[in-house]
Each structure stands twice: as structure tokens, then as C-alpha cells.
Amino acid sequence: MRVDGSLADGGNGDNGSGGHEIAAAWSRVKRRLRAELGEDVFASWFARLELEEVSAGTARLTVPTRFLKSWIESHYLDRVLTTFRSEADEVARIEVSVRGAAAPIRPVAGGVAKTNPTSGPLARLHAAGAAAPAPMPAAEPESIVRGEPADLNGAPLDVRLTFASFVVGRSNALAHAAAERVARHDGEGALYNPLYFHAGVGLGKTHLLHGIGHAARDAGRRVIYLTADRFMYGFVNALKTQNALAFKERLRAIDLLILDDVQFIQGKSIQAEFGHTINALIDAGRQVVVASDRPPTELEALDERVRSRLAGGLVVEIGNLDEQLRTSILAARLAAVRASHPNFEVSPTVAAYVAKAITANGRDLEGAVNRLLAHATLTGTAVTLETAETAIRDLVKNREPKRIKIEDIQKLVASRYNVSRSDILSERRTAAVVKPRQIAMYLSKVLTLRSLPEIGRRFGGRDHTTVLHAVRKIEKQIGEDAVLGDEVELLKRMLQD
């Protein structure tokens, strides 16, 4: 039973009633994982996890890189299996594999690839840009075309994510203008180096990065696009195969390095190599473009000198989508879907309702379109305002995150570890008090917008370096101790519920 769908919002597929049931179960699995693990973890490790098929009790999942496969198998396989089994009884085991490389696809004039009218319409919408009418495989990295060592490849660029398909509004106009200027710069040296984008999930960072990569390659520049996990995997693999020097030289011999999700770069040696690479490229006048979910000053895991270097270029925040931009994105997405489903119609009233009701990000808008299309194709009835309200109900309700107070964190952690809140605020340094104190500091940094100095003041007047030490220590222990990781995730959910 083959099911084509992804863990991104709106993934769906239907090959008869069985396929539809599995697709629906998979959709519920991804919603539960997002709720249980949180948006950051979900976006980092599960956004590109796709369900390929369910056969003989085995659910076969695929990811784009070996690093992701290894990480999910090591840290989350049991959780995914348990969640999937609770939604679909026939799933007894899970296999994770790496998706095969796609055949090269060349962009046509203007940077927009030719579309396949027979492909399904439920392509992923990246952030604030509308995708082409049908999903297309990503083009292979330039290094594969040139026959360069596979270990040093960048991640593939998605042919759908170009400047031509990016919808510009007030919240992303500056970022779009800077991206185009950098991509098309043909003078000496680099512009705004580094160019640093930061924004929440689904607001357009990745779309802009791919757009920069396409435009720069079309201009004949040597480009490598890397996600944080691809950078980490490449460096670790280079060390294992004694190719570290070639890895470094490959990165430093390019014209443009594009790095996505830099907040997830982990490990002291990998972070050090990242810093050396950034410095070497900038000092040599090569362009660097970086994206993250936070400004460089808040990347506490990175060395202070690297953070300072990242902050020394042009730092652009991409804001939330206003209603006008959401309306434009929705209109572009509906037009793209109608190219392959001519009978799919959504009235202006329904479209206006969806654009007004869904405020979080572009991915939720795609999820809404997918739900409306599923209703229209599966039931054969027109999309009305009432059916739209039902279809997108889970995307609309309670989208505003709960405001969490540091005092609430301290009280919950104290209760969980059988100490008092006054113990956590005290100068006591016994193990029974230090551990919950550090966990409470970590949660305060992760779940609130308070700065490190402010958190320190709220924990008995401690220095911000003490808070930073606690955050880094708990982050490290979570990566090494699955039990502690589960404890901290439970505390997060209790505070967020």
C-alpha cells in the first residue's frame, strides 16, 4: 500500500480507501509529533521525513540525508513507531531510508522550471512563496554534474523555489531586495557580508536561500547550499574518511556559501570548523549567506567571535505575514493548484476567510489549500464557507503561543524534583538543587523571550554567564541522556499546555 505524503502540513495521498486511511493516520501522527516535541524539534528533524508506503506491517519512511536517518533512528524511532501504531494498528515496525538522488533538472529561462501537469498538486509551499503548479524533484547539486567527490556535495536546490515564485510583502520586502542584490552582484568582493536572515518557521527564509542559489548559479558563480545537518554530516564523514582537508578546501574554493538553520550546528569541533570556514570566506571576499530562527547574538552555543562575525554583516529579520501578504500567497497557491485541477474552485469569500483565519505562516496556508482540495476531490462537492471552517479548524484554533512566566517554570521544576522554589533561588550547591536549578534556567531561556541577564536576575541575582553555563550543560546532557531529554520535554509540554 503506497502512500505519497510528507510530514509537512497537508501531506496526503489516496490510493483507494486503504491508502486514504493510512494517509489520514500519517497526518495525525505528524500533528501529534509537532505537539509533543515542539515546533523547533519538529522542524529540525521531521519536516523532511516522508511516508513512502506501508507494506506487510512495515511503514517505510524516507529522509534526504544519512545524517537525518541516523539521528532519527538513534533518538526518535521508538517514539515515531509508538505514535504511528496508536493511529494505525497494522503498523508493526518502521524502516527509515535515504531517498535516492533525483535526475538533474535544468531551470528554463527566467529561473522557473517546466511543470509536469500530471503531477499531484500537494507540493510543499515554502514559507512566503507560492510553489510551481506541481511538485518537482530538486535539481542535483552542481558538484554532481561536474563529477566532484560525493562527500563534498551541497544539498540540492529545489527548482520551485526561485525569486520568480516568491511572494513579496511588507514583512519580507527588505529581505527579498537584499537577497536579489547579493545573488546578482557581479562586481568585485561581496555585498553585506555575511547576509544573515532570521525568522520563525514558515516565513520564507529557505525560499530566499534557494532563490539566491539559483540566481547565482545562473550567473556562473560557484555555489554550495548546505543545511546545518548536511554541514555536520559532511564534516564528520570527511574526518572518518580522512578527507577533512579536501572538505575544507572545497568549501573555501567557492564564490558563495549558503547555510540554512545554523542554530542546529552542534559539537565543539564542528562549530570551530564552521567559524574557521566563515572567517576564511569573508576574509577572501567570498559571499556568505546564513539563515536561522534567531538573531546571531542569541546563538549562545556558538563561539562569541563567530557570533560577532555573523552580526557584522547585514542582519535582516523577516516578519510575520500580514493579512494582505497571506491573501497574495493564498491566491498564488490556489492558482497553482487549479493548473492541475481545473475544476477546483474556491470562492472569494472562502479565500478571504482562510487568509484572515490562518495567521501563523505560509506552511499553514498550504495545509489549508490541501485540506480544501482533499474535500473537493474526495467528496465531489463544492467548497463552502462551512466546509472550509471544518477543514481548517485545527490550523485556526489557539495559534497564539501561551505566555510562560519564569516563576511558573521555577514552581513546576521545584515540584517535579521535590525541592522548594526558594531552594532554586538560593546559593545552595548540592546536586539535588543544582540540577533542577539548571533545568529551570534552560527552560526559561527556551520558553521565554527573557535575556540571559534578566533570567539571571530572576534566579537570585546570578550573573548571565551562570545562566549560559546552565543552558549549555543541559543542552549537552539532553543530547547524551535520553531519559533526561524525555523529562525536559515533559516539563515543556506541561508548561505549554
Side-chain angles (χ1 to χ4, degrees):
M1 182 186 303
R2 189 172 181 83
V3 180
D4 292 320
S6 75
L7 209 58
D9 274 343
N12 204 345
D14 190 9
N15 288 281
S17 60
H20 178 62
E21 290 171 2
I22 287 295
W26 182 240
S27 181
R28 293 193 296 273
V29 168
K30 62 94 179 177
R31 286 198 294 270
R32 287 179 54 180
L33 288 173
R34 186 192 293 272
E36 293 171 5
L37 299 174
E39 186 63 43
D40 286 346
V41 173
F42 181 90
S44 304
W45 308 117
F46 297 98
R48 289 170 289 170
L49 180 65
E50 296 181 359
L51 175 62
E52 183 176 86
E53 66 175 352
V54 175
S55 176
T58 299
R60 292 181 173 84
L61 311 177
T62 66
V63 291
T65 68
R66 283 175 284 178
F67 178 83
L68 271 178
K69 175 180 183 294
S70 175
W71 186 272
I72 291 172
E73 287 178 338
S74 300
H75 295 82
Y76 295 108
L77 196 63
D78 289 342
R79 182 188 290 267
V80 175
L81 175 58
T82 300
T83 306
F84 210 156
R85 290 184 67 178
S86 67
E87 297 292 346
D89 294 338
E90 62 266 43
V91 176
R93 59 192 299 268
I94 284 177
E95 291 181 358
V96 182
S97 61
V98 180
R99 289 191 283 277
I105 297 177
R106 306 296 181 206
V108 299
V112 182
K114 294 180 181 179
T115 60
N116 177 1
T118 63
S119 297
L122 306 182
R124 180 182 177 191
L125 174 68
H126 280 264
M136 296 285 290
E140 287 196 2
E142 183 181 357
S143 52
I144 293 180
V145 177
R146 292 179 175 178
E148 294 170 356
D151 290 345
L152 307 180
N153 292 335
L157 293 175
D158 191 323
V159 295
R160 296 167 297 160
L161 303 184
T162 66
F163 289 140
S165 64
F166 190 85
V167 181
V168 182
R170 184 171 56 184
S171 62
N172 59 26
L174 176 60
H176 177 263
E180 279 205 315
R181 182 72 63 86
V182 164
R184 306 189 194 285
H185 177 62
D186 58 1
E188 293 294 325
L191 286 175
Y192 321 129
N193 211 12
L195 175 58
Y196 188 105
F197 299 121
H198 67 96
V201 173
L203 297 181
K205 302 186 302 295
T206 297
H207 194 142
L208 283 179
L209 296 187
H210 283 250
I212 291 172
H214 285 304
R217 281 184 178 172
D218 289 346
R221 298 165 71 185
R222 295 167 296 176
V223 179
I224 286 185
Y225 165 76
L226 291 169
T227 57
D229 61 277
R230 190 72 176 248
F231 179 87
M232 290 188 288
Y233 174 80
F235 182 67
V236 171
N237 193 51
L239 290 177
K240 289 180 180 178
T241 59
Q242 299 182 347
N243 261 332
L245 182 59
F247 179 82
K248 297 176 184 180
E249 289 177 349
R250 166 81 171 115
L251 285 180
R252 298 175 190 182
I254 60 176
D255 299 313
L256 171 61
L257 174 64
I258 304 173
L259 188 65
D260 202 359
D261 290 330
V262 67
Q263 72 272 13
F264 296 120
I265 291 182
Q266 303 170 5
K268 184 173 292 186
S269 61
I270 295 176
Q271 290 174 354
E273 182 53 38
F274 169 70
H276 295 326
T277 299
I278 293 293
N279 286 330
L281 288 171
I282 294 175
D283 291 343
R286 312 293 173 82
Q287 181 70 57
V288 176
V289 181
V290 177
S292 175
D293 66 349
R294 66 200 72 174
T297 53
E298 295 183 11
L299 296 171
E300 288 94 353
L302 291 179
D303 182 83
E304 185 177 356
R305 289 169 295 184
V306 179
R307 281 182 277 148
S308 177
R309 198 68 191 257
L310 292 174
L314 176 61
V315 178
V316 183
E317 179 180 11
I318 302 175
N320 292 327
L321 311 179
D322 58 37
E323 187 173 344
Q324 182 179 356
L325 181 53
R326 296 197 303 271
T327 300
S328 299
I329 293 170
L330 187 62
R333 183 62 188 137
L334 289 170
V337 171
R338 279 195 294 270
S340 53
H341 286 69
N343 295 326
F344 176 56
E345 290 293 338
V346 174
S347 70
T349 301
V350 172
Y353 164 72
V354 173
K356 188 176 184 64
I358 295 180
T359 61
N361 56 57
R363 293 177 187 169
D364 282 355
L365 287 173
E366 183 194 12
V369 173
N370 290 340
R371 285 159 171 76
L372 297 179
L373 178 61
H375 170 86
T377 55
L378 294 175
T379 66
T381 59
V383 176
T384 65
L385 186 59
E386 289 74 22
T387 57
E389 289 174 344
T390 302
I392 68 172
R393 184 167 46 202
D394 64 313
L395 297 174
V396 174
K397 64 180 181 181
N398 196 27
R399 274 301 181 183
E400 287 298 319
K402 177 183 176 182
R403 295 191 64 180
I404 300 172
K405 299 179 181 178
I406 291 179
E407 181 181 7
D408 295 335
I409 295 174
Q410 293 167 341
K411 289 179 179 178
L412 178 62
V413 173
S415 173
R416 187 77 178 175
Y417 287 92
N418 295 318
V419 296
S420 66
R421 179 169 174 259
S422 59
D423 287 333
I424 289 179
L425 302 181
S426 72
E427 296 296 325
R428 291 182 58 189
R429 303 182 63 84
T430 60
V433 174
V434 169
K435 180 181 178 181
R437 179 186 296 139
Q438 291 178 334
I439 290 175
M441 289 180 175
Y442 167 80
L443 291 172
S444 297
K445 181 64 183 74
V446 171
L447 299 178
T448 76
L449 298 177
R450 301 294 183 182
S451 65
L452 294 177
E454 174 63 17
I455 294 173
R457 287 193 291 271
R458 302 289 288 275
F459 277 80
R462 288 176 164 79
D463 188 80
H464 76 279
T465 57
T466 302
V467 180
L468 180 58
H469 170 74
V471 170
R472 288 178 173 172
K473 183 173 182 179
I474 296 302
E475 283 179 342
K476 182 175 184 293
Q477 290 180 347
I478 287 174
E480 298 171 347
D481 185 348
V483 174
L484 178 62
D486 289 342
E487 287 181 11
V488 172
E489 286 301 323
L490 176 61
L491 290 168
K492 282 184 184 179
R493 293 197 298 274
M494 292 174 69
L495 288 162
Q496 290 170 333
D497 288 344

